[in-house]
Amino acid sequence: MNDLGNQVCRCIVGACDDTCKYYDAKKACCVGYEEVIQQAEKVFSEYESYKDLEEQNKLLKLPCAVGDTVYEVQELRKRIQPYIVIAVHVSNCGNLYGWELEDGKGVYSNVNGFSEYAIGKQVFLTKEAAEAALKEMSE
């Protein structure tokens, strides 16, 4: 978007130079940049749609998505268990995430998955954060 935005701005104000693929040295300006304008209009239209959804409180921002790896700190076993998120369930009570063992090996402490409230407490979005939490629990 940044390159596109810069290109649109340069084309619109006629401040293009030979780095612009639409620059015509003979005319000393951009020609045929309609494609850039069309791309920009599409991006701005999509942005407006997302902005409308957000204003209507219909845009859901999740801390992780299906396919992400999360890390559970298993305090009693003194280990970190990686899982793959396989489902996201949205409800009034909070979001629930279904998971499965990353490599089919390991021990589930909670077979179904985890609540969003567990993120940052027992479940972590990065291995480094999980390792730091485990270290802190061990001290």
Side-chain angles (χ1 to χ4, degrees):
M1 172 63 186
N2 196 18
D3 289 341
L4 175 62
N6 289 337
Q7 187 62 51
V8 169
C9 292
R10 289 196 326 237
C11 287
I12 289 173
V13 299
C16 283
D17 55 25
D18 58 358
T19 62
C20 174
K21 72 178 185 177
Y22 299 101
Y23 185 74
D24 183 335
K26 291 179 185 174
K27 295 183 180 180
C29 66
C30 290
V31 294
Y33 59 86
E34 293 83 11
E35 175 188 338
V36 173
I37 300 301
Q38 287 172 353
Q39 289 175 358
E41 287 173 350
K42 181 181 176 194
V43 168
F44 292 130
S45 174
E46 289 175 3
Y47 169 74
E48 287 300 320
S49 295
Y50 284 110
K51 194 173 166 184
D52 288 345
L53 289 170
E54 187 170 30
E55 287 172 2
Q56 297 171 42
N57 205 25
K58 293 183 178 179
L59 187 62
L60 184 61
K61 297 175 186 176
L62 300 172
C64 59
V66 171
D68 287 356
T69 300
V70 294
Y71 304 87
E72 179 194 31
V73 173
Q74 297 178 347
E75 188 175 2
L76 293 176
R77 293 185 180 93
K78 305 283 188 234
R79 60 176 276 167
I80 296 169
Q81 180 64 58
Y83 299 96
I84 302 292
V85 175
I86 59 170
V88 178
H89 305 278
V90 178
S91 77
N92 295 2
C93 300
N95 301 330
L96 302 173
Y97 297 81
W99 63 15
E100 64 183 14
L101 293 167
E102 183 180 53
D103 57 4
K105 300 175 186 171
V107 178
Y108 286 107
S109 71
N110 181 342
V111 178
N112 296 324
F114 62 97
S115 164
E116 194 161 279
Y117 302 111
I119 296 175
K121 296 175 183 83
Q122 295 97 8
V123 177
F124 297 86
L125 304 177
T126 66
K127 188 172 185 179
E128 294 78 19
E131 288 169 345
L134 181 61
K135 182 178 178 183
E136 188 176 302
M137 289 174 188
S138 299
E139 292 176 349

